[in-house]
Amino acid sequence: MSEARPLELTVYYDFASPFCAIARAIVVRLAESRPLSVTWLPFEVIDYLPPKGAMPQNPAFVRRGEAARAQRLADQYGLTVRIRERLLNSNLALCAVEHVRSTTGDAGAVDSLHGALFDAFYRDQRDIGALATILEVAEEYGLRDGLEAALRAGTYKERVARSRTDAQAQGIVAVPTWLSRGYGIVGIVDYAEYERLLTTAGQRDPLAPAS
């Protein structure tokens, strides 16, 4: 008997969003009960920050509310999410993942660096906007080859920008956004909604036109 074909799931993400760290934990849980083929695509929400980031302009009470919601959701999935006051310039980290995707073609390697960078920022409070930190994290997984030169040269900046533009052309304006065979979810919602998304997508003929 042949194995079930993996369900394809695409998630647009940004390291700057704690809700994308939670999305990653949700994906891990979803994959425990079904074969999944997950593609994480970069969507740099604020693409004009200085290299070292910046202080947010929205009111403090809004930031506190968002941080509290993120922490409540993180607790549901056993995550440690420590949110810094300063906004992260995530471009370098997004480019690092694209470098590994392009040079290795190894989904497992991409997933390893992706998860490690989220953990480094939200759990360990490391500055993944800094080149040195990214290289250290990549080295831990044997993924540093050619990475420094590519990041210094800005090799993947256009790819990251194009991913955002392509997403916006589909009407995507926020992260995380989840897509599977013509269906989608925006943000962090009840876990049952993700189950429903994949069940619906799995029942649909992938060659059928979108309704």
Side-chain angles (χ1 to χ4, degrees):
M1 186 175 180
S2 60
E3 293 185 3
R5 182 178 177 181
L7 284 170
E8 295 181 1
L9 176 65
T10 297
V11 185
Y12 281 92
Y13 79 100
D14 190 354
F15 287 112
S17 169
F19 298 103
C20 290
I22 296 161
R24 182 176 169 82
I26 293 171
V27 166
V28 170
R29 183 177 293 186
L30 289 168
E32 292 174 353
S33 57
R34 61 180 56 76
L36 275 184
S37 174
V38 184
T39 301
W40 295 89
L41 293 181
F43 186 103
E44 189 176 8
V45 176
I46 306 177
D47 61 351
Y48 51 82
L49 287 174
K52 293 186 178 181
M55 293 299 293
Q57 296 181 350
N58 55 335
F61 74 88
V62 173
R63 298 196 299 274
R64 286 195 298 269
E66 289 234 331
R69 177 172 178 258
Q71 190 57 63
R72 286 195 303 271
L73 290 166
D75 289 345
Q76 293 179 24
Y77 294 95
L79 291 179
T80 300
V81 173
R82 301 185 178 96
I83 300 176
R84 299 186 183 192
E85 181 75 359
R86 194 173 187 83
L87 295 173
L88 167 71
N89 184 319
S90 58
N91 187 265
L92 211 59
L94 294 171
C95 287
V97 174
E98 292 309 299
H99 169 79
V100 172
R101 191 194 312 275
S102 178
T103 57
T104 70
D106 183 344
V110 173
D111 189 67
S112 293
L113 183 61
H114 186 256
L117 288 171
F118 269 119
D119 286 345
F121 186 60
Y122 289 105
R123 184 189 65 195
D124 303 333
Q125 292 283 278
R126 298 169 75 180
D127 180 10
I128 64 169
L131 176 62
T133 303
I134 292 174
L135 295 177
E136 289 169 6
V137 173
E139 180 68 33
E140 294 169 10
Y141 291 86
L143 298 173
R144 183 166 172 166
D145 187 35
L147 179 59
E148 182 172 1
L151 294 182
R152 288 190 182 278
T155 304
Y156 295 94
K157 284 183 175 293
E158 183 179 349
R159 177 184 291 199
V160 168
R162 186 170 63 249
S163 180
R164 183 178 191 266
T165 300
D166 290 347
Q168 289 173 324
Q170 299 178 64
I172 295 169
V173 296
V175 292
T177 291
W178 316 64
L179 303 173
S180 188
R181 299 188 185 184
Y183 298 89
I185 290 174
V186 179
I188 302 299
V189 296
D190 187 82
Y191 183 80
E193 293 299 317
Y194 303 110
E195 293 274 9
R196 189 172 295 114
L197 169 69
L198 294 178
T199 299
T200 302
Q203 292 173 345
R204 176 178 169 184
D205 179 353
L207 299 180
S211 57

